[in-house]
């Protein structure tokens, strides 16, 4: 289990990537997080329980990243207040 709260992730190709083909965390929580990336903002490969609470998706200037990609097995989860910003940072 891991928990990220009140963080700002920017200047990277992939903002948040959870798990891989071999598995992932049992539980992951992201609360009050801002993500600005160039290729993909959130990739969920594998996890049993995920919680997203107040996430701001933004993009680096001159980039068009994918917002959320679910690429594998994901169990139960909660997503509250995920916002896509209309302008870049």
């Amino acid at each position: 289990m891991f928990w990220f709260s009140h963080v700002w992730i920017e200047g990277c190709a992939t903002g948040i990537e959870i798990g891989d083909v071999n598995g992932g965390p049992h539980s992951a929580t992201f609360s009050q997080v801002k993500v600005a990336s160039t290729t993909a903002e959130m990739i969920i490969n594998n996890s049993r329980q995920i919680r997203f609470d107040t996430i701001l998706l933004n993009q680096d200037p001159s980039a068009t990243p994918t917002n959320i990609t679910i690429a594998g097995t994901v169990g139960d989860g909660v997503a509250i207040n995920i916002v896509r910003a209309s302008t870049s940072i």
Side-chain angles (χ1 to χ4, degrees):
M1 178 179 157
F2 61 91
W3 187 307
F4 287 94
S5 179
H6 296 88
V7 295
W8 186 330
I9 302 166
E10 69 173 324
C12 51
T14 301
I16 297 170
E17 185 167 9
I18 302 170
D20 60 20
V21 295
N22 298 314
H26 173 71
S27 178
T29 298
F30 295 86
S31 178
Q32 303 290 326
V33 175
K34 180 176 181 176
V35 180
S37 62
T38 57
T39 305
E41 294 181 325
M42 295 181 359
I43 301 173
I44 305 165
N45 293 310
N46 205 326
S47 185
R48 293 206 40 216
Q49 296 174 335
I50 295 179
R51 179 180 178 94
F52 295 115
D53 182 11
T54 311
I55 307 295
L56 176 61
L57 302 176
N58 211 325
Q59 66 188 48
D60 282 343
S62 350
T64 54
T66 57
N67 293 326
I68 300 171
T69 301
I70 299 175
T73 304
V74 179
D76 295 334
V78 175
I80 301 168
N81 198 26
I82 296 179
V83 178
R84 174 71 177 148
S86 59
T87 60
S88 61
I89 59 172

